[in-house]
């Protein structure tokens, strides 16, 4: 059996590694080929540039190239294989190139997403659960940022009945102390509108905090387009607790009993923006960003 892949993913890595980035990169790790049995050969990440910025950069290129290439025919793949061999030789990685040669026509086919991090990964790693300053029309705002990844969206969108929801873990707004959660309802109305809400929940610091909660907040759905300039995150408006909902929703959460206040604000999105191949889905997951203005 002839099985193809992962190499599809890996050859652009070489391209990236050799495409001038080496010079800027502090360190490049090469991992070797791994043979699983006689018929299949699995290649793990072959080229990893150990600098956060460059990893993100490299991966976005991989994504773009690999999704395109996956649709192309095997003979093209074989051509790429030879290119890789040349690149490998240029890099003086003798043992790897020999292995590639030996196993030339034995590769596993696997869809790539499971292995690739979103082009937004750098941002997520850097800002998740942190306080930062952001610049909006010449003014700096101190904000807390939290990212929530909702997996297995296809199943939730097609099978979950109206009103059925999933809650995020509780998280605590750094420097402010409030406990919060988010909640997605894949089918909020029978027409299929998706709703992503945010609400307050109990925090061990509640007694020391001031009530009602008055911090402004917004939710964004991340766009995973490789090109940064082409990304358009779907954003809610900036909610001001003082004006959007009755104070009831922003009071101190119950000390005993159910810890969550009812949620009052949320972002609704039409179902069809999450079609197959949508730039708002990555690895069948939806990535939500919450920004709280401190
Ligand atoms: C190859 O796979 C085996 C078993 O999965 C693992 O123990 C080994 O470390 C792998 N070798 C490399 C070079 O990745
Ligand atoms: C691999 O091939 C050898 C010799 O052809 C055979 O003895 C062995 O059972 C094969 N191993 C697997 C995992 O198929
Ligand atoms: C893709 O999703 C699966 C399950 O939803 C998860 O286990 C895996 O880590 C994800 N891969 C990446 C690269 O995020
Ligand atoms: C964000 O940080 C929290 C707290 O450290 C963690 O539990 C959560 O998994 C992180 N989210 C992502 C998307 O990494």
């Amino acid at each position: 059996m002839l099985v193809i892949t992962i190499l599809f993913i890996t050859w652009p890595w070489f391209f990236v590694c050799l495409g001038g980035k080496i010079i800027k990169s502090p360190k490049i790790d090469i991992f070797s080929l791994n043979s699983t049995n006689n018929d299949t050969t699995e290649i793990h990440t072959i080229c990893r540039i150990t600098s956060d910025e460059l990893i993100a950069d490299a991966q976005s290129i991989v994504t773009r190239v690999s999704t395109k290439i996956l649709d192309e025919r095997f003979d093209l793949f074989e051509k790429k294989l030879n290119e890789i061999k040349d690149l490998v030789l240029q890099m003086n990685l003798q043992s790897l190139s020999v292995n590639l040669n030996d196993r030339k026509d034995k590769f596993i086919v696997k869809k790539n997403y499971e292995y690739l991090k979103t082009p937004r990964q750098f941002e997520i790693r850097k800002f998740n659960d942190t306080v930062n300053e952001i610049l909006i029309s010449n003014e700096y705002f101190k904000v807390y940022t939290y990212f929530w990844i909702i997996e297995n969206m296809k199943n939730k969108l097609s099978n979950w009945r109206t009103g059925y929801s999933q809650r995020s873990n509780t998280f605590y707004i750094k420097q402010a102390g409030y406990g919060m959660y988010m909640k997605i309802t894949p089918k909020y109305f029978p027409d299929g509108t998706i709703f992503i809400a945010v609400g307050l929940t109990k925090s061990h610091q509640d007694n020391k905090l001031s009530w009602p909660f008055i911090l402004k907040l917004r939710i964004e759905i991340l766009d995973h387009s490789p090109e940064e300039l082409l990304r358009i995150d779907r954003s809610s408006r900036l909610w001001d607790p003082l004006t959007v909902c009755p104070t009831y929703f922003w009071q101190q959460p119950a000390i005993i009993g159910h810890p969550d206040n009812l949620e009052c604000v949320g972002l609704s999105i039409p179902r069809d923006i999450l079609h197959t191949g949508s730039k708002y889905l990555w690895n069948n997951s939806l990535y939500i960003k919450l920004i709280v203005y401190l």
Side-chain angles (χ1 to χ4, degrees), residues 91-102:
M91 293 174 86
N92 280 328
L93 300 169
Q94 295 298 350
S95 62
L96 180 55
S97 73
V98 168
N99 279 345
L100 281 172
N101 203 24
D102 287 350

Side-chain angles (χ1 to χ4, degrees), residues 113-118 151-152 282-285 287:
Y113 279 128
E114 280 169 62
Y115 302 95
L116 292 176
K117 299 281 191 203
T118 160
E151 294 180 344
N152 206 358
W282 181 269
N283 184 26
N284 196 17
S285 301
Y287 286 62

